[in-house]
Amino acid sequence: MGYTPERFMADSGITSDEGEAEKRRMLEEIRLHELKEARIRRHPGRPARDGRS
């Protein structure tokens, strides 16, 4: 058996609440990236709103 996320959290002193909060933050970041990519596919010639291409 490998080194599980649960074991890592226990070894690192990370609580399950902290782990869940980080998971929600990462999922929100992924969702925002997917929305940005979808906008780029719909409007390929339009610059990104944040000023980056």
Side-chain angles (χ1 to χ4, degrees):
M1 185 166 158
Y3 197 55
T4 65
E6 291 79 13
R7 181 67 188 188
F8 171 79
M9 288 172 55
D11 291 348
S12 301
I14 299 170
T15 66
S16 60
D17 287 342
E18 291 171 323
E20 287 299 317
E22 182 63 16
K23 181 179 176 181
R24 285 190 302 273
R25 186 195 67 76
M26 287 189 300
L27 290 172
E28 178 65 14
E29 197 171 304
I30 291 166
R31 187 181 80 77
L32 291 173
H33 179 74
E34 288 171 344
L35 289 171
K36 180 180 177 181
E37 292 297 314
R39 183 174 61 239
I40 290 170
R41 282 191 302 275
R42 281 193 310 269
H43 307 288
R46 186 182 299 175
R49 291 183 180 178
D50 62 3
R52 293 180 279 168
S53 296

